[in-house]
Amino acid sequence: MNTEKYSDLVKKAIEARKKSYSPYSAFSVGAALLCADGTIYTGANIENASYTPTVCAERVAFFSALHEGQRDFCAIAIVGGKSGEEICEYCPPCGVCRQVISEFCGDDFEIILSDGKENKALTLKELLPYRFDLLK
Ligand code: THU
């Protein structure tokens, strides 16, 4: 898959990662969500002393876009790694985030991962086959 067209989206995710609040895991994640109208919403993980209120970067980006009325999404770039260090490994979305993506995106929605050197594009269908969907 051609990931060249997503290099700007990945850059925005890397930039968003700097705003992560992750003093408990020391793992910072950034995400940049591309909407069908070209608008990009970003997010970073926000942790909590009580742990469970923690929200992943992907959901911060999605909920911010959804609250602005966005409903059509093309792709999300996700980057993550040890806080204070450059990214060096792919950071695939957790199961909860995959399910949230599933609520609003089709099988062809693209998830772009980067290890700082190369980008990898995966579809939602590849990351979440046989997904649970009550509205189908
Ligand atoms: N995290 C994300 O932001 N996105 C994911 O898909 C995986 C995990 C965050 C949650 C937590 O703040 C930290 O990474 C370590 O799990």
Side-chain angles (χ1 to χ4, degrees):
M1 204 175 282
N2 175 25
T3 56
E4 193 68 23
K5 62 176 173 168
Y6 290 125
S7 57
D8 188 50
L9 201 62
V10 168
K11 276 191 201 136
K12 287 201 163 58
I14 290 171
E15 203 52 36
R17 180 175 172 249
K18 294 179 186 162
K19 294 183 185 140
S20 163
Y21 175 75
S22 41
Y24 303 102
S25 71
F27 191 87
S28 304
V29 183
L33 173 64
L34 175 65
C35 303
D37 70 357
T39 311
I40 292 171
Y41 291 82
T42 59
N45 54 330
I46 301 170
E47 299 186 342
N48 189 279
S50 184
Y51 286 32
T52 51
T54 293
V55 186
C56 293
E58 300 90 316
R59 278 177 284 149
V60 171
F62 258 98
F63 294 154
S64 146
L66 288 160
H67 185 256
E68 291 293 321
Q70 297 284 355
R71 290 293 184 273
D72 291 329
F73 306 103
C74 300
I76 189 168
I78 308 163
V79 295
K82 281 187 191 156
S83 302
E85 294 182 14
E86 305 264 295
I87 51 162
C88 58
E89 281 178 20
Y90 292 125
C91 177
C94 77
V96 172
C97 287
R98 292 179 200 205
Q99 185 62 29
V100 168
I101 294 170
S102 168
E103 185 70 28
F104 300 102
C105 300
D107 282 343
D108 295 335
F109 177 79
E110 289 185 288
I111 292 128
I112 318 299
L113 308 178
S114 177
D115 63 0
K117 294 178 283 293
E118 283 175 30
N119 299 342
K120 185 193 279 291
L122 298 151
T123 63
L124 179 60
K125 192 175 177 70
E126 286 173 307
L127 282 186
L128 193 63
Y130 301 102
R131 58 187 159 128
F132 180 66
D133 184 352
L134 286 177
L135 298 177
K136 216 180 334 185

